[in-house]
């Protein structure tokens, strides 16, 4: 018999398969059903987004900016009409004045002619010459009255009033750029444990005051480096590695809980997530190979569990359970439902999770409640081409959905725009080094409120600030 079996994309077994017309992959009947269910869920998400948009759209009213523009148009109309009326009245006055002067002149000529005729008649001294003169003068005056000098209106080719027009201000993606020579804002004084030094910084967090919180990896501490200060201050951990409640071991990431102003730390070496609040410590999650941290606008905490190749989510204050898997959790692998040594993470406004999938050389996006992710950067094996990444670390996403990646092994930060097949270098990419335009294994990333880009420069033991070009 003819062997008509092929390998199923999901289970990797040789079975009778069916081609999906969308992704052009072969699935066995069971996995095709699952694949169709995933697509159906995606459709429901789109429908849900549409319903939300429809609800928002139905409530839309002209905004204050539109009303302001209409006020400007009304004012232009009023000013223009007033200007036209004034100019028209000036022209009328000129014509009336000219006409009156003309009539006065004719009247004077008639009066003069009348006096001459009266004088000749009274003196009774007239002849053919006098009569002919009078006849000619009367005819000329009559003709002048019937044929006044011609006047006309001339239109100026130059616009009399300022013309206005409506220009579409349709928003287009703003591709920000940054100065290529960075400012060292933390560390940069060689490797060490003094307050003006760092030792292999990993994750960073920049608050609204531009203070930088740094996971000082090999110093086993969290350092806060206030804006424009020459040294930092230890706010968690000590100089020594340990597993006491007040000690840390190779912290990889740090975030600020805005609700209670505490700091949450991925204490990787101790396999725990710990919270510090005014020198008081509390273990939130224990027995977890944590690496990256994120918190969404609803207060949910997201943690990378590299030991199980997954990302889990916990509701604030409910850390006594196992949390919910929101990405990966299907074993180590390179399928869209799998992760391979995930590191840093980012969560957007829609609770989509962006995972720095270290071992798979890619950034993968998992929408809320999705069963598998979508590759948004890399995924073409490790390399230095613009369509590749080499062990990506930090990941952040801006309001336009553009993904910024700390391309660790390529010593650069690269930006991937939605729908593009390759990225573009934002900063770095000038070989490995310690100059102001170079990076050496960039790790954590963060933006401040002004759009300046901060990079944890791992092997240069510093944090670099790349100022935005406005």
């Amino acid at each position: 018999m003819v062997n008509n079996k092929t390998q199923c994309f999901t289970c990797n077994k040789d079975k009778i398969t069916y081609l999906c017309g969308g992704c052009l992959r072969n699935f066995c009947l069971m996995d095709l059903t699952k694949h169709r269910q995933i697509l159906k869920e995606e459709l429901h998400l789109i429908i849900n987004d549409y319903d939300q948009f429809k609800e928002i759209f139905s409530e839309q009213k002209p905004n204050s900016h539109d009303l302001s523009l209409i006020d400007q148009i009304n004012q232009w109309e009023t000013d223009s009409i007033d200007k036209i009326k004034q100019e028209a009245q000036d022209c009328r006055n000129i014509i009336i004045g000219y006409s009156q002067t003309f009539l006065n002149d004719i009247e004077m000529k008639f009066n003069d002619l009348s006096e001459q005729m009266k004088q000749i008649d009274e003196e009774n001294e007239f002849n053919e010459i006098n009569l002919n003169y009078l006849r000619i003068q009367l005819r000329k005056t009559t003709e002048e009255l019937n044929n006044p000098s011609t006047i006309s209106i001339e239109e100026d080719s130059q616009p009399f009033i300022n013309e206005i027009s409506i220009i579409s201000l349709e928003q287009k993606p703003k591709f920000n750029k940054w100065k290529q020579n960075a400012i060292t804002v933390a560390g940069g004084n060689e490797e060490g444990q003094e307050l003006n030094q760092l030792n292999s910084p990993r994750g960073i967090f920049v608050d609204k005051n531009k203070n930088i919180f740094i996971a000082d990896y090999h110093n086993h501490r969290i350092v806060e480096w206030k804006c424009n200060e020459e040294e930092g201050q230890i706010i968690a951990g000590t100089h020594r590695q340990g597993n006491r409640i007040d000690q840390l071991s190779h912290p990889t990431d740090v975030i600020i809980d805005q609700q209670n102003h505490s700091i949450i730390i991925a204490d990787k070496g101790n396999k725990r997530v710990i919270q510090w609040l005014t020198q008081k410590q509390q273990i939130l999650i224990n027995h977890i190979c944590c690496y990256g941290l994120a918190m969404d606008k609803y207060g949910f905490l997201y943690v990378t569990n590299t030991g199980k190749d997954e990302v889990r989510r916990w509701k604030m204050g409910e850390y006594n359970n196992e949390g919910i898997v929101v990405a990966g959790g299907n074993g180590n692998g390179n399928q869209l439902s799998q992760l391979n040594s995930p590191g840093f993470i980012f969560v957007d406004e829609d609770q989509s999770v962006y995972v720095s999938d270290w071992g798979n050389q890619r950034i993968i996006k998992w929408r809320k409640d999705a069963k598998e992710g979508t590759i948004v950067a890399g995924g073409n094996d490790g390399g230095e081409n613009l369509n590749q990444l080499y062990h990506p670390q930090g990941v952040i996403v801006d309001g336009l959905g553009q993904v910024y990646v700390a391309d660790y092994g390529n010593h650069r930060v690269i930006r991937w725009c939605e729908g593009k097949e390759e990225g573009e270098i934002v900063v770095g990419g000038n070989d490995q080094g310690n100059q102001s335009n170079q990076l050496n294994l960039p790790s954590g990333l963060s933006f401040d409120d002004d759009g300046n880009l901060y990079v944890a420069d791992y092997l240069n033991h510093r944090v670099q600030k790349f100022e935005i070009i406005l």
Side-chain angles (χ1 to χ4, degrees):
M1 295 181 64
V2 177
N3 183 4
N4 61 352
K5 295 182 178 181
T6 56
Q7 189 180 61
C8 173
F9 176 77
T10 300
C11 67
N12 296 321
K13 295 180 180 179
D14 289 336
K15 295 182 178 181
I16 296 176
T17 60
Y18 305 87
L19 180 68
C20 173
C23 65
L24 300 179
R25 292 168 176 164
N26 292 305
F27 299 91
C28 65
L29 184 58
M30 182 177 296
D31 288 327
L32 179 63
T33 303
K34 294 179 182 178
H35 182 65
R36 294 291 299 173
Q37 182 62 34
I38 292 171
L39 295 178
K40 188 175 182 180
E41 292 173 359
E42 287 289 322
L43 175 61
H44 288 163
L45 288 173
I46 296 172
I47 293 173
N48 182 59
D49 290 344
Y50 167 79
D51 291 339
Q52 292 180 9
F53 171 80
K54 184 178 179 181
E55 182 178 349
I56 294 172
F57 180 75
S58 64
E59 298 173 353
Q60 291 297 305
K61 297 179 180 179
N63 57 44
S64 58
H65 178 65
D66 293 338
L67 295 176
S68 174
L69 293 178
I70 292 174
D71 287 342
Q72 290 181 46
I73 294 171
N74 292 341
Q75 188 61 49
W76 171 86
E77 179 184 33
T78 300
D79 293 344
S80 298
I81 290 174
D82 289 344
K83 193 172 183 180
I84 291 171
K85 285 182 175 179
Q86 183 61 50
E87 186 70 14
Q89 187 59 44
D90 291 344
C91 289
R92 290 191 197 99
N93 292 337
I94 291 172
I95 291 175
I96 291 173
Y98 178 87
S99 178
Q100 190 62 50
T101 300
F102 171 76
L103 292 176
N104 291 340
D105 184 55
I106 294 295
E107 184 178 16
M108 290 177 61
K109 291 180 179 179
F110 268 103
N111 290 339
D112 182 59
L113 186 60
S114 175
E115 287 294 326
Q116 293 182 51
M117 288 188 295
K118 183 178 179 182
Q119 182 178 357
I120 292 174
D121 184 41
E122 290 177 352
E123 295 178 353
N124 201 23
E125 292 184 0
F126 52 86
N127 53 38
E128 288 83 359
I129 296 175
N130 293 337
L131 294 178
N132 188 49
Y133 167 78
L134 293 174
R135 190 180 297 109
I136 292 172
Q137 291 301 112
L138 178 62
R139 187 177 69 250
K140 285 183 178 179
T141 305
T142 302
E143 289 176 353
E144 189 175 351
L145 176 64
N146 293 332
N147 299 288
S149 299
T150 303
I151 59 174
S152 64
I153 295 176
E154 181 179 84
E155 294 188 12
D156 195 340
S157 60
Q158 298 298 319
F160 170 60
I161 60 173
N162 294 326
E163 297 181 1
I164 63 171
S165 59
I166 305 301
I167 300 174
S168 175
L169 297 178
E170 181 181 357
Q171 186 179 18
K172 297 181 180 180
K174 181 181 179 182
F175 298 101
N176 292 328
K177 292 185 178 182
W178 291 263
K179 295 180 181 179
Q180 295 303 296
N181 292 297
I183 302 170
T184 300
V185 290
N189 299 301
E190 299 182 346
E191 172 188 340
Q193 61 181 16
E194 300 300 323
L195 291 180
N196 69 339
Q197 295 178 308
L198 297 171
N199 191 347
S200 306
R202 282 289 188 191
I204 56 175
F205 183 96
V206 180
D207 69 11
K208 62 182 180 180
N209 297 318
K210 296 184 177 61
N211 299 322
I212 311 166
F213 297 81
I214 307 165
D216 197 4
Y217 187 72
H218 282 308
N219 278 330
H220 315 291
R221 66 189 185 186
I222 303 298
V223 179
E224 179 184 5
W225 212 292
K226 292 188 180 296
C227 183
N228 297 325
E229 293 292 330
E230 294 184 357
E231 61 180 33
Q233 56 180 324
I234 301 171
I235 58 173
T238 64
H239 291 307
R240 300 182 62 183
Q241 179 181 11
N243 58 9
R244 295 198 316 260
I245 189 69
D246 64 339
Q247 291 180 309
L248 300 172
S249 176
H250 294 109
T252 52
D253 206 3
V254 56
I255 59 173
I256 305 299
D257 180 359
Q258 304 290 353
Q259 294 183 358
N260 57 19
H261 304 290
S262 66
I263 61 172
I264 299 175
I265 305 163
D267 191 9
K268 179 176 177 292
N270 287 321
K271 295 185 177 181
R272 65 190 182 188
V273 176
I274 190 167
Q275 181 184 51
W276 284 58
L277 177 61
T278 59
Q279 298 304 313
K280 294 182 180 180
Q281 302 84 38
Q282 176 188 359
I283 297 176
L284 300 181
I285 306 166
N286 222 333
H287 309 298
I288 181 172
C289 295
C290 54
Y291 195 98
L293 301 173
M295 185 172 288
D296 66 22
K297 62 182 180 181
Y298 303 106
F300 287 95
L301 178 65
Y302 299 73
V303 184
T304 303
N305 186 353
T306 58
K308 294 185 177 181
D309 298 294
E310 65 185 14
V311 178
R312 287 183 178 266
R313 182 183 71 201
W314 280 265
K315 187 177 182 180
M316 184 60 66
E318 298 182 4
Y319 300 111
N320 55 349
N321 55 44
E322 295 184 352
I324 300 173
V325 176
V326 293
N330 298 302
N332 181 283
N334 61 3
Q335 302 299 313
L336 291 178
S337 62
Q338 295 176 307
L339 299 172
N340 183 358
S341 301
F344 288 103
I345 51 177
F346 180 90
V347 181
D348 68 12
E349 291 289 313
D350 299 322
Q351 294 182 295
S352 296
V353 183
Y354 295 76
V355 186
S356 185
D357 197 4
W358 166 281
N360 284 325
Q361 319 289 356
R362 66 189 183 185
I363 304 297
I364 190 164
K365 174 184 177 181
W366 288 66
R367 294 189 59 165
K368 184 181 178 182
D369 301 326
K371 302 301 181 183
E372 61 180 29
T374 303
I375 298 172
V376 293
N380 299 299
D381 298 325
E384 61 182 12
N385 295 326
L386 290 179
N387 68 340
Q388 294 177 305
L389 299 172
Y390 193 58
H391 296 315
Q393 281 275 334
V395 55
I396 47 179
V397 183
D398 66 16
L400 297 173
Q402 300 170 137
V403 182
Y404 297 78
V405 186
D407 196 2
Y408 187 76
N410 286 322
H411 316 291
R412 65 191 183 187
V413 176
I414 194 165
R415 170 172 58 196
W416 287 64
C417 302
E418 186 175 358
K420 298 292 185 180
E421 295 183 357
E422 62 181 30
E424 59 178 335
I425 298 173
V426 173
V427 296
N430 300 304
D431 297 326
Q432 182 179 12
N434 60 6
Q435 300 301 309
S436 62
N437 68 339
Q438 292 179 308
L439 299 169
N440 193 346
L441 300 180
S443 185
L445 298 179
S446 187
F447 284 125
D448 65 22
D449 288 344
D450 294 330
N452 300 308
L453 175 63
Y454 295 74
V455 183
D457 198 5
Y458 184 74
L459 276 191
N460 282 326
H461 313 291
R462 66 188 182 184
V463 175
Q464 297 291 83
K465 175 184 176 181
F466 293 89
E467 295 182 317
I468 191 169
I469 300 174
L470 299 176

